[in-house]
Amino acid sequence: MTAPVYFTETEPGLFVGNDPARGPWSPDHCHAGPVTGLVARAAEAAAGPDKMLTRLTLDVLKPLPLAGLRITTEITRNSRTLTTTRLALHDDEGTLCLTGTSMHLVRKELGEVPTATVPTPDFDRARPGPALLVGKLHDQPAFGQFIEMAYPEGEDLGPGPKTVWMKAPHLLATEAPSPIQAICPLADCGNGISWNEPPVRFGFMNTDLTLQIHREPQGDWFAAEAVSHWQPNGIGMSQAVLYDTAGPVGMALQTLVLHPMAK
């Protein structure tokens, strides 16, 4: 059986979403997590292999169609220490759907350096459990059904903050994702992990994503320690500390728009 992947490049530069890339709100639109991986891939290709992607900020302007996406990149600064890029994602008809920027820093070999010691979820003691991200407003296969999940011992899977381990499909069948591309689908899941109540009264879509990475992840199991803040003014925020099995690697922030669900 062929392993599921998020996208198929049907012609050079045109990425068509497969079932795992489908989001929960519409059968015709992508979940932003796999798309974030595609954008990270384009940014890394532009910056080159000698620098590490340390920040990726995306503004989602319109729904991201499964039918086809194209990404353009522009290097806005390039020095020995850092590279920055500007990115744009259009649908196959040329409509601008997403914009973004990235920063990449040169890798150095400094030996041992002091750093903060923080509690880290223990993957070895995590246990498989029910998927959290399978709720959707349509009957088509979608993102959450293709994610493997595991939970720290005693984790409460009800409303509110929680920690989740996830293993996601690859972006493309023709190549292995880079470490940062591999963690991108999880980075956009903070709001879906830490919802404060099920999406019955309110939807909670994110309008952006900022991914900050201080160490390239290892392996293919990653954890998010997520919390969402919802406010009566219809605005919210989700923040998630990201881990691999060796410790923290970065953080993801999302701005949320809360909206009443149709009855």
Side-chain angles (χ1 to χ4, degrees):
M1 180 177 179
T2 303
V5 295
Y6 285 124
F7 297 99
T8 300
E9 190 172 12
T10 58
E11 61 182 65
L14 179 64
F15 299 94
V16 175
N18 300 319
D19 284 343
R22 183 178 287 110
W25 306 107
S26 165
D28 301 320
H29 298 139
C30 294
H31 189 287
V35 176
T36 300
L38 274 187
V39 177
R41 176 179 179 271
E44 290 182 320
D50 294 333
K51 296 187 178 91
M52 187 186 102
L53 194 159
T54 59
R55 179 187 52 77
L56 182 65
T57 298
L58 306 179
D59 293 326
V60 183
L61 309 177
K62 295 179 70 68
L64 308 168
L66 281 169
L69 302 169
R70 296 183 184 274
I71 302 169
T72 59
T73 60
E74 174 191 359
I75 293 179
T76 53
R77 183 178 178 186
N78 194 25
S79 70
R80 286 182 297 176
T81 300
L82 67 85
T83 297
T84 59
T85 76
R86 181 180 295 118
L87 305 117
L89 184 148
H90 296 78
D91 66 19
D92 197 31
E93 297 179 351
T95 302
L96 180 64
C97 298
L98 178 150
T99 61
T101 61
S102 69
M103 178 173 287
H104 310 250
L105 295 180
V106 70
R107 296 175 179 84
K108 301 175 183 177
E109 293 294 338
L110 300 181
E112 294 294 326
V113 297
T115 188
T117 300
V118 298
T120 297
D122 185 352
F123 178 72
D124 291 336
R125 301 183 68 180
R127 297 291 180 266
L132 279 179
L133 302 172
V134 294
K136 56 187 189 295
L137 302 182
H138 55 78
D139 60 0
Q140 297 298 305
F143 178 82
Q145 295 168 251
F146 298 88
I147 299 287
E148 295 182 58
M149 289 191 169
Y151 304 93
E153 285 186 319
E155 182 65 66
D156 183 354
L157 301 188
K162 59 183 67 69
T163 300
V164 175
W165 287 96
M166 294 173 57
K167 181 181 179 182
H170 286 187
L171 290 174
L172 300 163
T174 54
E175 65 187 50
S178 75
I180 292 173
Q181 293 166 31
I183 205 171
C184 283
L186 172 62
D188 190 62
C189 289
N191 62 327
I193 291 170
S194 62
W195 42 265
N196 292 309
E197 67 174 40
V200 176
R201 291 196 305 152
F202 302 110
F204 40 91
M205 297 176 66
N206 61 300
T207 60
D208 67 0
L209 172 67
T210 295
L211 173 61
Q212 188 81 37
I213 297 290
H214 56 82
R215 177 173 64 81
E216 285 171 302
Q218 304 170 27
D220 51 14
W221 276 98
F222 308 114
E225 185 180 64
V227 58
S228 287
H229 303 278
W230 294 2
Q231 302 301 334
N233 60 7
I235 297 171
M237 183 189 80
S238 174
Q239 62 189 59
V241 180
L242 305 178
Y243 302 86
D244 63 11
T245 57
V249 299
M251 176 172 283
L253 295 173
Q254 299 167 298
T255 302
L256 307 182
V257 56
L258 307 181
H259 56 88
M261 297 293 285
K263 296 182 179 180

